[in-house]
């Protein structure tokens, strides 16, 4: 089982109409991934092109995602921006990170939602099913994308259904400024309570708020 999910957007241009999404846990090499992404961004020549293609994903710290809907909302904001040639960032993959962030600060969005040295679970997103190689281009399958991601990330593939069990709700509250939101503050806050101990209703409300915030990002930017 590949554990990858494939999403199709036939109303968008062919280069962004197919998206692959997967979740890896027990990630062992977060620091190396981060260093590799940074190095690839400035690598020169054909070797640089090959390396940029190797890390041509959105790498999202799973702790920062409230739900599948949260992720898909950010993805769609990025796809629409790409379809109109109105990206705020350099690539559609970094645009997903930007769309997730509460503010419009690009550096902050990468720092908060991208891979960090402390990351132990990662959502990987690949927009487009075409791969450009030195020898030409090819159409990617789910197996291709899984193998590409596995060559970068040392971790265990699991179902995207496990995403909500990885959410760091205190982090979500901080990043989306929910600690002062009336819909959230009406619930008593227990000091030191774990994410699992939070009421399901509170999690649902916070999820609705962050999904709406992301969906409105392209309108308010």
């Amino acid at each position: 089982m590949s554990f990858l999910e494939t999403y199709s957007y036939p109303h968008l241009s062919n280069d962004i109409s197919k998206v692959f999404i997967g979740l890896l846990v027990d990630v062992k090499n977060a620091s190396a991934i981060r260093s590799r992404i940074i190095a690839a961004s400035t690598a020169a020549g054909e070797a640089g092109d090959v390396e940029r293609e190797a890390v041509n994903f959105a790498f999202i710290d799973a702790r920062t995602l409230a739900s599948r809907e949260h992720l898909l909302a950010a993805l769609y904001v990025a796809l629409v921006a790409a379809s109109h040639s109105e990206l705020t960032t350099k690539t559609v993959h970094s645009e997903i990170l930007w769309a997730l962030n509460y503010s419009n600060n690009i550096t902050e969005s990468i720092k908060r939602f991208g891979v960090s040295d402390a990351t132990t679970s990662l959502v990987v997103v690949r927009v487009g099913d075409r791969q450009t190689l030195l020898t030409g281009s090819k159409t990617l399958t789910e197996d291709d994308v899984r193998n590409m991601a596995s060559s970068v990330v040392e971790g265990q593939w699991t179902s995207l259904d496990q995403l909500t069990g990885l959410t760091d709700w205190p982090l979500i509250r901080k990043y989306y400024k929910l600690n002062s939101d009336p819909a959230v503050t009406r619930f008593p806050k227990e000091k030191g309570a774990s994410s699992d101990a939070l009421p399901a209703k509170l999690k649902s409300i916070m999820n609705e708020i962050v999904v709406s915030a992301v969906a409105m990002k392209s309108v308010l930017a």
Side-chain angles (χ1 to χ4, degrees):
M1 181 180 292
S2 73
F3 288 117
L4 276 179
E5 295 187 2
T6 303
Y7 293 82
S8 296
Y9 300 88
H11 58 292
L12 300 178
S13 58
N14 289 338
D15 58 326
I16 59 172
S17 63
K18 184 169 287 188
V19 180
F20 303 92
I21 303 177
L23 172 62
L24 294 104
V25 296
D26 298 327
V27 174
K28 307 298 185 185
N29 65 329
S31 179
I33 297 169
R34 181 174 175 272
S35 297
R36 188 172 178 181
I37 293 170
I38 293 171
S41 67
T42 56
E46 291 183 351
D49 292 337
V50 170
E51 187 63 5
R52 277 185 288 277
E53 179 58 27
V55 295
N56 191 17
F57 292 87
F59 296 97
I60 308 168
D61 193 319
R63 297 174 302 160
T64 66
L65 295 171
S67 64
R68 184 193 307 262
E69 292 75 25
H70 186 199
L71 169 62
L72 293 179
L75 168 63
Y76 196 68
V77 168
L79 292 177
V80 170
S83 70
H84 293 291
S85 299
E86 295 178 349
L87 290 175
T88 300
T89 64
K90 291 183 178 180
T91 71
V92 67
H93 291 130
S94 57
E95 194 79 3
I96 297 171
L97 299 177
W98 175 84
L100 284 168
N101 198 30
Y102 187 80
S103 78
N104 292 326
N105 188 304
I106 297 173
T107 300
E108 181 183 78
S109 67
I110 295 172
K111 181 179 179 181
R112 286 184 168 182
F113 295 92
V115 61
S116 71
D117 292 351
T119 297
T120 58
S121 54
L122 270 177
V123 170
V124 292
V125 181
R126 169 76 184 213
V127 175
D129 64 351
R130 298 294 294 174
Q131 181 183 39
T132 302
L133 306 168
L134 297 177
T135 55
S137 62
K138 62 175 287 188
T139 300
L140 297 172
T141 65
E142 283 191 2
D143 285 343
D144 290 329
V145 175
R146 183 196 62 208
N147 291 336
M148 289 166 60
S150 293
S151 71
V152 178
V153 183
E154 296 177 11
Q156 299 297 317
W157 290 95
T158 190
S159 169
L160 200 60
D161 291 338
Q162 304 302 313
L163 182 61
T164 53
L166 301 169
T167 304
D168 185 330
W169 287 104
L171 204 59
I172 295 286
R173 292 173 77 137
K174 175 183 177 182
Y175 287 172
Y176 287 92
K177 304 184 187 301
L178 299 182
N179 287 321
S180 59
D181 191 299
V184 174
T185 56
R186 66 186 178 91
F187 288 85
K189 187 175 181 180
E190 297 182 16
K191 187 176 182 180
S194 68
S195 291
D196 291 339
L198 294 176
K201 181 63 175 178
L202 175 57
K203 291 180 182 179
S204 177
I205 289 172
M206 289 193 289
N207 179 58
E208 290 177 5
I209 293 172
V210 299
V211 170
S212 297
V214 169
M216 292 295 293
K217 187 72 179 280
S218 60
V219 177
L220 300 175

